[in-house]
Amino acid sequence: MKKFDKERVLLAVAGPVIALVAAIALTSVVLLASGKSPFEPYSLMLQQATYSDIQVLILNQASLYYLAALAVAIGFRMNLFNIGVDGQYRLAAMMTAVVGAHIALPGVLQVPVLLLVGMLTGAFWAGIAGVLKVTRGVSEVVSTIMLNAIATSLIGYLTLDNIWGVQVGNNNTTGVMKKSGWVPGINLGSNVGEIYGLVFLAVLMGVLYWVVLNRTRFGFDLRATGASETAAAASGVDAKKMVLTAMLISGAVAGLSGLPLLLGDAHSYSLSFPTGLGFTGITIALLGRNNPVGIAFAALLIAFLDKASPALDYATPVAYEKEIATIMQGLIVFAVVISYEAVRVWGLRRQQKRVGEELAAAAANNNSPKEVAAR
């Protein structure tokens, strides 16, 4: 591996590692300030990760996080901040559950139809923000935040008894989906649990994300437009079209985020369906640096914090608040922003130093700066 490649790998890894170390250190300070051990909570959570049932929970949760983070990352690569993933995913899950409860096709058709409904719903909701941006210049940050709130109200309305809702106790649901739309998973036994079948969909989406962005003309145009719209336009790329397309694709992937849970376990959308998935996806996309492999590790980390932290409430002789994991997640966000900027500045200085050394060597060898630049 060339020296330049080693430095690039170092720069890619340094940011997440520094962020994680800083988050752990700051969380330890919080524990010390509360008069508790700064080390025991971590050992308790790591112990939980050795249990098979917890591992299944972590993997299942990570599949949801991974898809949400990919949706965010697609926007990031276009220099778009799609904060509306949460609303897009919840609305898509609700519409998919409604279709699944009212349409009964053979399984070979039912599942693809439900996946398509989720993607189209998410794409439609994100497309509203995309259209507003390219036609009226409305910031996608503002429009997607507003669309999140509208999605919440719309879901509440559509799940009323006189629309598509089915009352189950005190919970408004969409009714149980037809069994032909259930996606079987990998059953590891009654004491361990079942891995969602759509975990493999998350893996497939990660591969497609990498291939499209790095091995296709469309991916190049998308990244070029994100880096500089004016430069992309000069090369013949329609920047507005790329913005709208990126928002549609981001929304479509967001629409898939809740389907591993919906089709693999819940089989109905209700008020108890998890929220905040899209905002967690932002953290994961940042921590994973928009790289599919980095996002996978980040998704597993956040899922581990979610599923291992409840054990802190039952620790003896001293119980720890499970909110410690939430504090750590919040600190990771701050640490990511700060560490990435520090790493960027450090990398820029390293590059400037290397160029200066090469120019000095060229001057000593009577080579022109242009020859150095060409090399």
Side-chain angles (χ1 to χ4, degrees):
M1 185 179 289
K2 296 180 180 179
K3 181 179 179 182
F4 172 77
D5 293 332
K6 289 182 179 179
E7 288 190 2
R8 186 170 59 181
V9 171
L10 178 62
L11 290 173
V13 174
V17 171
I18 293 173
L20 183 58
V21 171
I24 292 174
L26 292 172
T27 304
S28 298
V29 171
V30 173
L31 288 168
L32 281 172
S34 62
K36 295 183 178 180
S37 170
F39 306 111
E40 188 177 14
Y42 306 123
S43 64
L44 290 171
M45 287 194 291
L46 288 173
Q47 184 181 19
Q48 289 294 306
T50 62
Y51 301 140
S52 299
D53 57 335
I54 300 298
Q55 292 170 0
V56 170
L57 292 175
I58 291 172
L59 185 59
N60 287 340
Q61 188 68 26
S63 66
L64 277 69
Y65 285 160
Y66 188 73
L67 289 169
L70 283 182
V72 175
I74 291 169
F76 281 164
R77 298 304 294 265
M78 256 299 293
N79 203 24
L80 297 170
F81 206 161
N82 183 9
I83 303 182
V85 169
D86 200 67
Q88 294 152 21
Y89 121 82
R90 288 187 290 113
L91 188 61
M94 188 275 296
M95 290 301 300
T96 303
V98 168
V99 173
H102 291 83
I103 295 179
L105 299 172
V108 69
L109 296 176
Q110 182 86 342
V111 172
V113 165
L114 295 179
L115 294 176
L116 186 61
V117 168
M119 294 178 67
L120 290 177
T121 304
F124 168 75
W125 207 244
I128 296 174
V131 170
L132 289 174
K133 183 173 180 65
V134 300
T135 60
R136 291 293 183 266
V138 178
S139 169
E140 75 280 1
V141 174
V142 175
S143 59
T144 51
I145 288 176
M146 295 298 101
L147 285 167
N148 278 340
I150 295 172
T152 300
S153 300
L154 185 59
I155 291 169
Y157 171 73
L158 293 176
T159 52
L160 291 175
D161 293 346
N162 58 341
I163 309 294
W164 288 324
V166 176
Q167 192 75 18
V168 178
N170 294 324
N171 199 356
N172 287 337
T173 77
T174 54
V176 179
M177 299 169 61
K178 307 298 183 183
K179 287 192 176 181
S180 59
W182 297 12
V183 177
I186 302 174
N187 194 337
L188 301 179
S190 58
N191 295 327
V192 178
E194 183 177 289
I195 298 174
Y196 297 154
L198 291 185
V199 164
F200 300 102
L201 174 64
V203 176
L204 176 62
M205 293 304 297
V207 174
L208 287 175
Y209 170 83
W210 184 87
V211 171
V212 170
L213 281 181
N214 297 283
R215 291 292 184 269
T216 67
R217 173 59 189 266
F218 171 78
F220 174 81
D221 290 346
L222 188 146
R223 289 183 285 114
T225 307
S228 173
E229 288 191 14
T230 54
S235 64
V237 178
D238 188 339
K240 289 186 176 181
K241 179 181 177 181
M242 292 304 300
V243 168
L244 180 57
T245 303
M247 286 299 295
L248 290 171
I249 295 175
S250 178
V253 177
L256 294 174
S257 301
L259 300 195
L261 171 61
L262 180 67
L263 304 187
D265 183 27
H267 308 306
S268 178
Y269 186 91
S270 67
L271 297 178
S272 59
F273 209 78
T275 60
L277 188 68
F279 299 106
T280 304
I282 295 174
T283 301
I284 294 170
L286 287 171
L287 187 59
R289 301 204 68 172
N290 302 324
N291 180 282
V293 177
I295 290 173
F297 282 112
L300 288 169
L301 171 64
I302 300 300
F304 159 71
L305 293 175
D306 283 348
K307 299 304 179 183
S309 59
L312 298 177
D313 281 340
Y314 308 105
T316 57
V318 178
Y320 294 86
E321 293 75 12
K322 64 180 180 181
E323 284 73 20
I324 290 171
T326 305
I327 293 173
M328 183 178 292
Q329 290 180 23
L331 291 173
I332 285 175
V333 176
F334 286 106
V336 160
V337 176
I338 297 171
S339 64
Y340 282 5
E341 179 61 19
V343 169
R344 186 191 68 81
V345 172
W346 178 74
L348 182 61
R349 289 177 178 174
R350 290 271 298 177
Q351 184 178 14
Q352 290 172 340
K353 181 180 178 181
R354 184 169 62 251
V355 171
E357 291 173 349
E358 291 178 355
L359 289 174
N365 295 326
N366 294 324
N367 292 329
S368 69
K370 290 184 178 180
E371 291 174 338
V372 176
R375 293 203 301 269

